[in-house]
Amino acid sequence: MNYGYMVNNGGGKQTLYYYVNGSIMRRIIENDVPGKTESIVNNVMPSVFVTLRQGEPVVIYQLENGDVVLSAAGGRRVIQSGGRSAGEIFLKAVFSHRRMRLVYINGGSLVTQSSDEQGSSDAVILDEPVGNLPYRLIPVVDGGYYLIYKRRVPEQQLGYCELSASAVGKFKRIFSTGFDIGDSSLCIAGDTVHFVFVSMSRFAVRVMYCRNFDGSLSKPKNLWEGSRCNAVCIGADGSDVFVWWESGGHVYESVSHNGGESFSQCVRRGNIKLMGKVLHLGGNGYGVSELMLTDSCRIYAPDEIKELIRLGGKVNIPVYHEKEEERSDNNFDISRLQEELLRKQEQIERLTYALKCKNDELSQNEFKFRQKNAELKAEISRINARKMTANNNIEQQIDNIIDNNN
């Protein structure tokens, strides 16, 4: 299992959904003790997604014949027919009353499409994500999600857009690098969104943190540096922010008690055999969005985070409100073209700057070449002068020898 879904049932009980060997498995975890595992559907592709609709779990999966199936308490129905090759679709969905929005991968592009009782909108291409896990759809408020993914334009960027069943916001960049970005996670507490991600360079791997408060994104902080990092998670409760990650079979933690302004020195907690990560669903709060799961299906998180999950409803969450900057399906094409124009302008600016740097480099090389050429000419002149002097001395010596012989 690489990625699963955990529904918080309250009272210390959770239901875990995950994919393994062509089957979707369901397992009850009570007071951190895993119970019996059961298979709920077989012969499916790895692209499994679980969400909630009116508090009830909804499972979306792709059969081996290509059909995409939505399974809920009311039964199962095919929402997209077959004909797609294996691994081509990576589908998720969000719901709001009688409206549904699909988000999926098609031909390498990130695509969205909404539908309601009146029918379906046209599919719209959002972006071209990169990475083994193309994107994640994480609930951050009641009815609202963050669509977080990586893209390359031309450097690699980590970012997100706000999303609901009826609207999609603009892509907002969190971090960009000329190298690579590894795992990432986010959570929300009050009016602050907390991000953690792995920045990978040629010589080091770093766990980085930043936050978005009142629409302002902070400068990333370096929490840790090492040679590898397989998974990161973050949780928050008020001004307390907890970050934990796995590296080389060990788990490290770092804590902030001032809302992410500063963090304590990281502490190594012990050994762990990581099974994967799970998206936390349910309860009335999203103080934690993702968790680590050990090979024995036990949740790994700081004790404060486990208590936050157990209490569930005691976390206050804001209600999702669509903002003016977000776009409905009707004006989505215009917004998409405007965004594409901005991306092209940014690309032109980057290329112009790169060209200027290249011209400056060529000018410096030309100056060095001319300077070297002048030095070589001067050296040749000195050599010729010494040669002429030596020839004159030789001729004088020959004349002296001839005069002496006479």
Side-chain angles (χ1 to χ4, degrees):
M1 185 191 100
N2 293 319
Y3 201 77
Y5 302 87
M6 189 185 76
V7 176
N8 186 17
N9 301 319
K13 183 181 292 186
Q14 298 92 28
T15 304
L16 175 67
Y17 297 84
Y18 60 97
Y19 168 90
V20 60
N21 296 329
S23 299
I24 300 176
M25 313 300 292
R26 180 169 58 196
R27 190 168 193 172
I28 303 297
I29 301 175
E30 188 169 4
N31 296 322
D32 204 26
V33 178
K36 184 179 178 181
T37 302
E38 62 173 335
S39 173
I40 61 174
V41 62
N42 300 315
N43 302 319
V44 300
M45 302 297 292
S47 53
V48 175
F49 177 68
V50 180
T51 186
L52 297 178
R53 181 173 59 184
Q54 297 178 348
E56 295 296 325
V58 176
V59 184
I60 299 173
Y61 53 90
Q62 184 182 19
L63 296 173
E64 292 180 348
N65 65 5
D67 287 351
V68 179
V69 179
L70 185 150
S71 176
R76 302 179 183 182
R77 65 185 178 96
V78 176
I79 57 176
Q80 286 193 10
S81 59
R84 300 180 182 276
S85 60
E88 186 176 10
I89 195 164
F90 187 84
L91 188 143
K92 303 181 187 300
V94 298
F95 301 90
S96 176
H97 302 294
R98 298 183 180 275
R99 191 178 184 90
M100 176 177 68
R101 174 174 296 279
L102 301 178
V103 183
Y104 57 95
I105 296 292
N106 189 359
S109 297
L110 183 59
V111 179
T112 184
Q113 186 176 13
S114 65
S115 62
D116 56 20
E117 294 175 331
Q118 306 301 320
S120 299
S121 67
D122 293 333
V124 177
I125 295 177
L126 295 175
D127 216 324
E128 294 185 358
V130 296
N132 295 328
L133 193 64
Y135 68 96
R136 272 174 279 186
L137 196 58
I138 297 179
V140 290
V141 292
D142 189 16
Y145 297 75
Y146 274 4
L147 179 65
I148 184 168
Y149 60 94
K150 295 175 287 185
R151 67 179 187 178
R152 188 174 284 115
V153 286
E155 76 278 15
Q156 188 161 138
Q157 296 182 352
L158 174 68
Y160 68 98
C161 59
E162 299 178 17
L163 180 145
S164 70
S166 57
V168 182
K170 295 180 180 179
F171 180 85
K172 299 177 182 179
R173 185 178 61 181
I174 300 172
F175 184 73
S176 62
T177 175
F179 294 97
D180 197 8
I181 301 171
D183 191 34
S184 62
S185 189
L186 65 87
C187 72
I188 190 168
D191 295 328
T192 304
V193 185
H194 302 276
F195 302 95
V196 63
F197 58 92
V198 179
S199 173
M200 301 158 61
S201 69
R202 188 174 300 162
F203 304 106
V205 171
R206 297 178 177 88
V207 173
M208 311 286 287
Y209 163 86
C210 66
R211 64 179 182 176
N212 189 330
F213 174 71
D214 198 23
S216 178
L217 189 66
S218 68
K219 183 179 178 180
K221 292 181 173 67
N222 184 10
L223 303 184
W224 175 84
E225 184 174 312
S227 59
R228 59 178 174 172
C229 179
N230 296 316
V232 291
C233 291
I234 189 168
D237 183 17
S239 60
D240 295 331
V241 183
F242 305 87
V243 180
W244 63 104
W245 60 94
E246 189 272 342
S247 175
H250 300 283
V251 176
Y252 297 81
E253 295 178 13
S254 185
V255 183
S256 171
H257 296 295
N258 53 13
E261 285 287 343
S262 60
F263 280 82
S264 65
Q265 186 175 1
C266 67
V267 178
R268 194 172 79 175
R269 291 301 185 189
N271 299 328
I272 180 176
K273 189 170 182 181
L274 189 65
M275 184 177 180
K277 286 177 66 174
V278 293
L279 180 65
H280 170 248
L281 301 166
N284 294 324
Y286 298 105
V288 58
S289 296
E290 293 180 306
L291 300 163
M292 291 182 188
L293 212 65
T294 68
D295 60 340
S296 60
C297 282
R298 292 181 179 272
I299 299 169
Y300 185 89
D303 292 338
E304 296 88 344
I305 295 298
K306 288 186 177 181
E307 182 68 7
L308 184 67
I309 295 170
R310 188 184 69 82
L311 295 175
K314 294 203 174 179
V315 178
N316 295 320
I317 62 169
V319 176
Y320 183 79
H321 296 288
E322 294 176 7
K323 302 174 183 178
E324 291 183 359
E325 68 176 12
E326 293 171 331
R327 53 207 183 209
S328 66
D329 294 321
N330 294 329
N331 62 2
F332 195 92
D333 288 338
I334 295 176
S335 299
R336 183 172 60 86
L337 290 173
Q338 290 174 341
E339 186 175 341
E340 181 67 21
L341 178 60
L342 288 175
R343 282 205 296 264
K344 292 295 183 183
Q345 289 174 343
E346 290 177 359
Q347 186 176 3
I348 290 171
E349 290 175 359
R350 286 193 294 268
L351 292 174
T352 301
Y353 177 75
L355 181 61
K356 179 181 179 301
C357 293
K358 196 67 178 178
N359 287 336
D360 291 342
E361 183 182 352
L362 291 174
S363 297
Q364 292 176 0
N365 291 337
E366 183 181 3
F367 174 77
K368 292 178 181 178
F369 174 78
R370 290 181 181 277
Q371 189 177 34
K372 190 67 176 178
N373 187 47
E375 292 174 355
L376 289 173
K377 286 183 177 180
E379 183 66 23
I380 290 172
S381 297
R382 287 193 293 270
I383 292 172
N384 287 335
R386 288 197 297 268
K387 182 179 178 182
M388 184 176 295
T389 301
N391 288 338
N392 291 336
N393 291 336
I394 292 173
E395 290 177 357
Q396 184 63 43
Q397 291 176 6
I398 293 174
D399 290 340
N400 292 337
I401 292 172
I402 293 174
D403 291 341
N404 291 334
N405 289 336
N406 291 334

